[in-house]
Amino acid sequence: CVTVTANRSSTIEDTAVTCLEQICSHLGWPVGHVYLRDNSSPEMLISSGFWQDKADDAFAAFHESSRHFHLGSSTELPDCVLASGKPKWIVNLGAQEPLSERAFAAARAGLRSGFGFPIVVDAKVVGVMEFFSDQTIQPADNFLNMMEHIGFELGQVIRRQRTEEELRRAKASAEFANR
């Protein structure tokens, strides 16, 4: 259902927002967020600013720490997903060692467990979608496998959207040249 709806989206941004909404709604988890490849620094992922959450200000500190979080070699969920290219589940966010500012902000907001999965285009991670629960939940391997498949399918949607955008630009350029 997620990938069918994403296929109907016209932009990467619409696709991300649609997926966040649908996955959070299906799981009943309060927070979803996406990191995307930074165009100015293609080796980095940055917070897209796209969030799905059910509370007004309860997650403000978590949003802020995520916005300033730079992916690197940490134990943070998006780093683990980016490094492995595989889905990752963290049962207890507050028990991570070392406890980062971002994990601390998540725990203070009442978030307990989280999982993330990569969005893959042409064997390269172009984004990470992450979701957080207000309960401590054990991982389910079949669920993570399904999310990995969704990440691959979203990558195909993004690839199609990029190709369509390139074709639109090429057509516009050709029409301009013909005039």
Side-chain angles (χ1 to χ4, degrees), residues 61-82:
F62 183 54
H63 283 226
E64 189 64 18
S65 64
S66 295
R67 190 169 66 82
H68 293 294
F69 173 68
H70 297 288
L71 283 95
S73 56
S74 75
T75 59
E76 288 285 342
L77 187 56
D79 275 331
C80 293
V81 173
L82 181 61

Side-chain angles (χ1 to χ4, degrees), residues 29-159:
W29 286 27
V31 178
H33 175 243
V34 64
Y35 283 93
L36 293 172
R37 187 76 56 193
D38 182 6
N39 290 335
S40 63
S41 178
E43 295 308 309
M44 286 185 55
L45 296 179
I46 58 171
S47 172
S48 65
F50 302 129
W51 288 87
Q52 174 69 30
D53 51 42
K54 296 180 180 177
D56 300 23
D57 295 327
F59 302 114
F62 183 54
H63 283 226
E64 189 64 18
S65 64
S66 295
R67 190 169 66 82
H68 293 294
F69 173 68
H70 297 288
L71 283 95
S73 56
S74 75
T75 59
E76 288 285 342
L77 187 56
D79 275 331
C80 293
V81 173
L82 181 61
S84 70
K86 297 283 184 193
K88 171 77 173 163
W89 193 290
I90 298 175
V91 174
N92 186 348
L93 295 166
Q96 290 181 268
E97 290 293 331
L99 189 62
S100 69
E101 176 186 329
R102 185 170 183 266
F104 180 73
R108 284 196 62 194
L111 301 174
R112 301 293 174 246
S113 291
F115 79 89
F117 63 90
I119 301 169
V120 180
V121 175
D122 298 327
K124 184 175 182 179
V125 176
V126 298
V128 171
M129 296 194 89
E130 58 180 3
F131 300 88
F132 299 92
S133 175
D134 53 4
Q135 299 174 23
T136 302
I137 300 174
Q138 295 297 319
D141 289 337
N142 59 344
F143 177 77
L144 288 176
N145 290 337
M146 181 176 61
M147 291 296 110
E148 183 173 23
H149 180 72
I150 287 174
F152 175 77
E153 292 297 321
L154 292 175
Q156 298 306 308
V157 170
I158 290 170
R159 186 174 182 215

Side-chain angles (χ1 to χ4, degrees), residues 9-19 34 36 48 50 158 161:
S9 300
S10 60
T11 66
I12 293 168
E13 293 79 10
D14 288 342
T15 300
V17 169
T18 297
C19 291
V34 64
L36 293 172
S48 65
F50 302 129
I158 290 170
Q161 290 170 341

